[in-house]
Amino acid sequence: MGIYLNPGNRGFQTILNGTYVDKTGLIDFVNQTVNTPQKLTSFSRPRRFGKSFAAKMLCAYYDKSCDSRSLFEGLEISKKDSFDKYLNKFDVIYLDITWFITRSRNKGENVVLDIQTAVIDELRKSFLNCVDESETFLPDALLSISRKMGNQFIVIIDEWDALFREAISDDAIQ
């Protein structure tokens, strides 16, 4: 388990330990888009409506670095035909944009560069000899790994709208 690559299922496990409203039907919807032209999916809801919980749920479901079957048994997704098809079958990259903004060196100006640098550094450590040292563009790094290793990635971006919310008047950041 890494910070960005394959975060595991601990976040979802913690959520299940509290009061949980089953939203795993969302997974079946996403499963229907995997490897299709509709594979880019955005879930937008007002603040405080469980988007981060959904992101952690998706990480737990897709992340191949863990076994999440027991977490989903008895939930809506476990009754769907697509349940076994993608359960823990992908490398997952999880990005929390708010976290990157708070860490950004120049009040968010370099946040996209910071994200790419941090994730590529982690990919280099996990996929030795797959990402060239000069690589700075995340999509190219993922493509290189996919070509050399055959790995498919699910990218989950939480708080994707934070750049717009936090830097509302900064066109350069947006």
Side-chain angles (χ1 to χ4, degrees):
M1 282 194 317
I3 297 172
Y4 317 108
L5 175 65
N6 295 329
N9 59 20
R10 192 173 351 195
F12 186 58
Q13 200 168 27
T14 302
I15 292 166
L16 289 175
N17 289 335
T19 302
Y20 177 70
V21 175
D22 187 356
K23 295 182 181 178
T24 59
L26 183 66
I27 296 169
D28 187 51
F29 175 80
V30 175
N31 283 347
Q32 293 172 40
T33 69
V34 173
N35 295 321
T36 73
Q38 292 78 31
K39 62 187 169 195
L40 303 177
T41 307
S42 174
F43 300 105
S44 59
R45 301 285 299 154
R47 290 186 59 71
R48 314 304 318 156
F49 267 77
K51 293 182 301 292
S52 293
F53 280 15
K56 288 175 176 47
M57 173 188 71
L58 292 168
C59 285
Y61 177 80
Y62 289 111
D63 186 340
K64 72 179 190 179
S65 75
C66 57
D67 180 0
S68 299
R69 179 172 297 282
S70 64
L71 296 177
F72 291 99
E73 286 178 348
L75 297 177
E76 183 180 344
I77 186 60
S78 68
K79 299 170 183 87
K80 302 289 185 178
D81 291 338
S82 72
F83 178 59
D84 287 319
K85 186 172 184 179
Y86 298 120
L87 177 65
N88 300 127
K89 299 280 197 274
F90 295 93
D91 283 303
V92 170
I93 295 182
Y94 173 73
L95 306 174
D96 180 340
I97 302 305
T98 302
W99 187 82
F100 277 102
I101 290 172
T102 61
R103 290 188 65 235
S104 185
R105 296 171 277 211
N106 296 322
K107 298 182 182 177
E109 277 181 37
N110 295 325
V111 73
V112 174
L113 179 61
D114 292 346
I115 290 168
Q116 292 193 92
T117 300
V119 175
I120 290 172
D121 286 348
E122 193 166 309
L123 290 170
R124 278 193 191 105
K125 292 174 188 167
S126 297
F127 298 99
L128 299 175
N129 303 317
C130 285
V131 180
D132 187 89
E133 284 299 318
S134 65
E135 186 57 66
T136 59
F137 189 54
L138 182 56
D140 286 346
L142 295 174
L143 185 59
S144 177
I145 293 166
S146 183
R147 285 182 176 153
K148 291 177 182 175
M149 305 286 294
N151 296 41
Q152 285 187 288
F153 291 87
I154 298 279
V155 179
I156 298 170
I157 304 173
D158 195 11
E159 298 288 342
W160 61 268
D161 61 330
L163 287 173
F164 302 98
R165 196 176 58 245
E166 303 296 324
I168 197 162
S169 60
D170 193 330
D171 292 339
I173 292 174
Q174 292 182 13

